[in-house]
Amino acid sequence: MYIMQVKSLKLKVKICSSKFKVNLKIIKFVLIFATLHFALCTLHLPKAHAQLGGIGIANYLTINNNKVEDGDIVISTPKGYFLSSTPYDNALSGVVVTHPAVSIKTKSDTHGFPVINTGTVYVKVSGINGSIKKGDFIATSLIPGTGMKSIQNGYVLGQALENTSFTHKQDIKLVLVSLNLHYLQLGSP
């Protein structure tokens, strides 16, 4: 049995003989409601409290790390899910969001973390490659679970939706990012 959770509303979907018995109009309504609810509820929140939900659907993943936090970047390997620690990592899975607007969880995911791989979410980003301007691409870095401004060809998480400056290169801040995991070829249209 799969459970789709939208804040406090739960929609149970039973899967019988690999045929889904669910009204797609209900699922569409729930997703639209969750997105609007997130947008309205975070409209006036200060940045420190903005990670109350990500606009996107989260899947629960068991991450092999003791210190998983909101905004951490997750990768997938044959040995499981881990926090990223390689620049421009091609094994991107998504970003941890502790309070997603919509999540899908199975009974076997009791110890997992909600991870979003498409949508809009705050991501932990360092100042390693300098300040970030709206539209800059964000890639993984050497700092576990933390991204950086992309300055070369490679895999990226998506684009920053806000400007952020750093006092020191080692500073880490949450930056709003539109997720779009792909390979970036700089200079291409």
Side-chain angles (χ1 to χ4, degrees):
M1 177 181 299
Y2 291 88
I3 299 173
M4 178 181 291
Q5 183 176 358
V6 180
K7 295 290 180 191
S8 61
L9 173 68
K10 290 185 181 179
L11 170 67
K12 294 183 180 181
V13 180
K14 291 186 178 183
I15 299 176
C16 306
S17 307
S18 72
K19 292 182 181 178
F20 290 95
K21 293 184 177 181
V22 65
N23 185 334
L24 294 178
K25 288 181 182 178
I26 292 173
I27 290 179
K28 185 176 178 182
F29 170 78
V30 168
L31 292 176
I32 292 169
F33 171 79
T35 302
L36 290 173
H37 175 74
F38 169 76
L40 292 173
C41 290
T42 59
L43 191 60
H44 301 292
L45 291 175
K47 189 172 178 180
H49 296 86
Q51 194 79 341
L52 294 175
I55 298 178
I57 300 174
N59 291 307
Y60 279 75
L61 304 177
T62 302
I63 302 169
N64 297 308
N65 191 296
N66 293 335
K67 296 181 179 180
V68 177
E69 300 175 341
D70 241 2
D72 277 338
I73 303 169
V74 179
I75 60 161
S76 174
T77 72
K79 294 183 180 181
Y81 296 97
F82 296 88
L83 297 182
S84 65
S85 60
T86 302
Y88 303 93
D89 200 325
N90 67 347
L92 290 169
S93 285
V95 178
V96 174
V97 178
T98 54
H99 300 290
V102 179
S103 63
I104 299 174
K105 186 174 186 179
T106 63
K107 286 187 177 187
S108 63
D109 294 330
T110 56
H111 299 297
F113 293 91
V115 175
I116 292 178
N117 61 14
T118 185
T120 304
V121 66
Y122 281 95
V123 178
K124 285 172 52 178
V125 179
S126 75
I128 292 173
N129 289 335
S131 295
I132 295 171
K133 295 179 193 149
K134 184 177 179 178
D136 283 346
F137 287 93
I138 306 299
T140 56
S141 71
L142 288 170
I143 303 168
T146 304
M148 64 182 177
K149 177 175 146 180
S150 177
I151 57 171
Q152 67 182 48
N153 296 340
Y155 285 89
V156 296
L157 286 147
Q159 287 184 282
L161 296 175
E162 61 186 354
N163 297 327
T164 305
S165 58
F166 302 91
T167 305
H168 303 94
K169 288 187 175 199
Q170 65 273 20
D171 288 349
I172 297 174
K173 295 183 178 182
L174 288 175
V175 176
L176 189 62
V177 174
S178 175
L179 296 179
N180 178 11
L181 287 61
H182 68 282
Y183 184 85
L184 174 67
Q185 179 75 38
L186 293 176
S188 63

